[in-house]
Amino acid sequence: MIQALIGLALPIAAVWAAFRAARLGEAAHSRLLTLALASCVGIGASSALTFATLMLGGRLNTAFVVRDALTWILLLLVSLWLARGRSPNVPGDAFPPATPVDWLLRTAFLAVFVMACAVPLIEYSVSPHGQWDAWAIWNQKARFMFRAGPRWIDSMAIPWSQPSHPPLVAASVARLWAYAGRELTVVPAMLSAAFAVSMLTVVMGALDVRRQRAWVAGTILIAPLTFSHLASAQTADLPLGLFLIATLVMLPMRPAAWRMGFQTSASLWLAGATASLAAWTKNEGVVFFAASTALVIWSAFRHGRPRDIFWWAIGAVPFLAALAWFKLGVVPEAPDYLEGATTLSTITARLFDAKRQAVLWETIWSLASRWGGPAAAGSLFVVLAVAIATAFRRTGRIARGFLAVAAVMAAGYCTVYLLTPYDVAWLVLTTFDRLTLQLWPLIVFAAYAPTDDAKGVAG
Amino acid sequence: MARLEAEFRALAPDLPPFGEVGYLERYEGGGSVDAVRAHYAAQYALAPRVIVGRTGQEFVIVAEGTERPGGDPRLRGYFRVAGTPAGHRIFRRPAP
């Protein structure tokens, strides 16, 4: 277990130090956010290296662990040497004195956080292998990688294991098992918890923990039982949601008062990296990458800064290259949930089938109204309504941007629901909670996003 | 799941380390959640072998309760080579 923790911490620490050496951390404008982004890129990069090792015929044995650890230690030492003498401070003032309302909000957050942490602990004690998709898809692929080395691609022959989904989660679990020396069930659970904490950190760090809105948004993010339930599921939806929110908070959509010391190029570099990590995590991430790239291109030309696209691309290229290697070199066929949707007539017939549409909307309405769990039913509609109200304000540019991306993603999910050869109601029933969780941090952030007239602490 | 996984894992020493291994689907109700869960659990436990839901391979896993009582024609030509206390068995047929 300790070795697995070291395996998790090494790339995060090395990437954090590299950010500091390259002054990328200043783009995040928050120590918490910088650490969360280092977690995203560190876990993503280590999974890509693990994948490359397997594709080049290597095995996840002791030699791999030594090489992997030395790589990250070397990066850490070089980064620390390059950043020597440099203050780790990021722009911004110290915490202002807390008011009674601040303490009330922080206490409420702490209470909800403790309760949310109890759920994964209880669920792990009952289902140490995670929920159905964890052992049928993600941890199973990790077992192939850990046990069979380069022959892990045999797992592509298992139709229910969703072969077309990229391997970030599976490769990360297999890598940490290699560090641990055995298949500890606690490893994927720990990784899942790391993703959940990183997501919380991104939301609160980006909203600035010196502000009350960050504590309210953090509480609302983790309050639904669905969040903590899926945090213990050990599936790929939580990391995908993490990369979505990490990308959007790094796009240069923040109030002018918060832009002191803001580096657009570094910010776009990081956003490009996390957007491509979304695509490296799950197929839905490809839709997000396309949508966020379109947003960046539109913004770059609108503001006469075409060079922004270059920085975005620089960040995205390494993980897109890994994705291309996976898709072109490993994946045998298109996702089964789109099977048969290859001709225009089939696509049109499925998309505009009134019966399928009726089933889709009826099922979504039923599930959406209950999303969040028994004590949080209706929370999705309430938070969405607040986010839309924020977006409709003249100064709600950030909320509009977040909701636009969430709407594109939701439209993509609905398109797949309509195109699938499977029973529409069954597919919605078995995926809606997870897919909504991917968008949940975007909606929460949009509801509490700073407006253009906000006075920044630093500004 | 943990119980099923442990039960199927006990079959691993008697199977080849890689390749396809057959899995006898339940003689009735093969599409039920329990039947599917058992098949998926066998795959999870026995990776990196690929557990296919048919017979014809040299090795076939016969999970507890999947075989038609009184002799299952799908197992013609196979003989039992291993079993577990939970009732799961491995059948094998001579390689052609």
Side-chain angles (χ1 to χ4, degrees):
Chain A
M1 176 64 187
I2 299 294
Q3 295 98 310
L5 269 173
I6 292 169
L8 182 64
L10 268 179
I12 295 172
V15 170
W16 172 82
F19 281 2
R20 203 178 138 203
R23 295 185 180 277
L24 289 177
E26 291 172 14
H29 215 76
S30 150
R31 285 193 195 94
L32 272 180
L33 185 53
T34 304
L35 185 61
L37 290 169
S39 303
C40 291
V41 178
I43 293 172
S46 59
S47 75
L49 287 177
T50 305
F51 169 76
T53 300
L54 293 168
M55 291 301 286
L56 293 172
R59 300 185 70 89
L60 304 186
N61 50 18
T62 308
F64 161 79
V65 172
V66 171
R67 274 198 314 271
D68 187 81
L70 286 176
T71 302
W72 294 114
I73 289 170
L74 186 66
L75 177 63
L76 177 66
L77 294 176
V78 170
S79 301
L80 289 176
W81 183 77
L82 288 174
R84 67 193 185 284
R86 191 177 298 165
S87 164
N89 287 343
V90 291
D93 295 338
F95 264 84
T99 64
V101 177
D102 287 332
W103 284 116
L104 191 68
L105 291 174
R106 290 171 196 181
T107 307
F109 168 80
L110 192 64
V112 173
F113 182 76
V114 169
M115 284 191 279
C117 286
V119 175
L121 292 174
I122 294 166
E123 291 205 10
Y124 177 74
S125 68
V126 177
S127 308
H129 295 279
Q131 290 172 15
W132 186 291
D133 275 10
W135 52 266
I137 301 175
W138 311 106
N139 292 344
Q140 177 174 277
K141 281 185 189 164
R143 283 189 167 186
F144 272 85
M145 291 174 172
F146 181 61
R147 294 177 181 180
R151 285 200 67 167
W152 75 277
I153 55 173
D154 287 0
S155 68
M156 295 292 126
I158 303 167
W160 68 77
S161 73
Q162 301 292 341
S164 70
H165 278 307
L168 178 139
V169 171
S172 299
V173 171
R175 174 178 168 275
L176 295 181
W177 277 342
Y179 270 79
R182 57 200 174 106
E183 294 169 7
L184 297 172
T185 55
V186 75
V187 161
M190 176 183 75
L191 191 66
S192 207
F195 287 132
V197 171
S198 296
M199 183 189 280
L200 177 64
T201 308
V202 166
V203 169
M204 293 183 69
L207 286 173
D208 193 342
V209 288
R210 290 167 296 186
R211 296 162 178 276
Q212 291 174 354
R213 71 168 89 228
W215 296 90
V216 176
T219 307
I220 290 173
L221 178 76
I222 61 175
L225 179 64
T226 307
F227 180 90
S228 42
H229 178 59
L230 287 169
S232 51
Q234 305 176 20
T235 58
D237 302 285
L238 199 67
L240 180 59
L242 165 65
F243 296 133
L244 264 55
I245 187 70
T247 301
L248 292 185
V249 301
M250 289 312 292
L251 287 180
M253 299 188 297
R254 48 182 78 187
W258 289 25
R259 289 191 196 145
M260 262 181 66
F262 187 84
Q263 295 180 10
T264 303
S265 54
S267 176
L268 281 165
W269 186 93
L270 283 170
T274 49
S276 58
L277 280 171
W280 177 237
T281 303
K282 242 186 144 200
N283 286 341
E284 298 95 298
V286 177
V287 179
F288 173 74
F289 182 78
S292 51
T293 301
L295 186 66
V296 168
I297 292 172
W298 175 79
S299 171
F301 282 106
R302 183 166 175 260
H303 295 103
R305 297 171 56 95
R307 186 178 285 189
D308 285 359
I309 301 168
F310 170 77
W311 291 109
W312 169 268
I314 288 288
V317 160
F319 300 114
L320 287 186
L323 181 67
W325 195 359
F326 171 74
K327 290 285 186 183
L328 300 174
V330 179
V331 178
E333 56 195 19
D336 62 344
Y337 48 79
L338 288 177
E339 202 173 283
T342 49
T343 62
L344 187 62
S345 59
T346 311
I347 291 171
T348 310
R350 287 182 185 174
L351 276 181
F352 297 103
D353 183 330
K355 194 177 167 192
R356 290 170 76 88
Q357 289 194 2
V359 170
L360 174 67
W361 299 123
E362 194 180 314
T363 316
I364 284 183
W365 175 260
S366 164
L367 293 174
S369 59
R370 286 179 287 155
W371 191 88
S379 57
L380 181 61
F381 290 146
V382 172
V383 179
L384 190 57
V386 175
I388 290 171
T390 308
F392 268 107
R393 291 170 64 181
R394 189 178 54 80
T395 52
R397 189 170 53 98
I398 297 170
R400 283 197 291 278
F402 275 60
L403 286 186
V405 173
V408 169
M409 295 293 291
Y413 301 158
C414 289
T415 304
V416 171
Y417 283 145
L418 288 172
L419 287 179
T420 187
Y422 296 125
D423 177 62
V424 175
W426 172 80
L427 191 62
V428 178
L429 278 168
T430 52
T431 59
F432 182 82
D433 276 5
R434 294 186 285 109
L435 296 186
T436 304
L437 180 81
Q438 297 171 7
L439 305 182
W440 178 240
L442 276 58
I443 298 168
V444 172
F445 194 94
Y448 292 91
T451 51
D452 279 338
D453 57 352
K455 293 291 177 200
V457 173
Chain B
M1 222 312 283
R3 178 185 58 80
L4 269 177
E5 196 265 348
E7 289 174 9
F8 282 117
R9 203 172 46 212
L11 296 172
D14 295 298
L15 289 169
F18 296 101
E20 278 194 357
V21 173
Y23 182 89
L24 192 73
E25 299 281 10
R26 266 194 201 172
Y27 68 96
E28 58 182 18
S32 70
V33 173
D34 283 347
V36 172
R37 185 196 307 272
H39 184 181
Y40 287 15
Q43 176 61 72
Y44 179 58
L46 298 170
R49 304 159 189 90
V50 176
I51 313 299
V52 295
R54 59 179 185 271
T55 56
Q57 286 69 29
E58 184 182 353
F59 291 87
V60 170
I61 294 166
V62 180
E64 195 271 329
T66 55
E67 188 181 2
R68 183 178 291 280
D72 197 313
R74 295 173 296 173
L75 291 174
R76 195 163 294 142
Y78 284 90
F79 58 94
R80 180 184 153 147
V81 291
T84 69
H88 310 309
R89 290 150 293 155
I90 296 173
F91 281 66
R92 184 178 186 179
R93 73 174 183 189

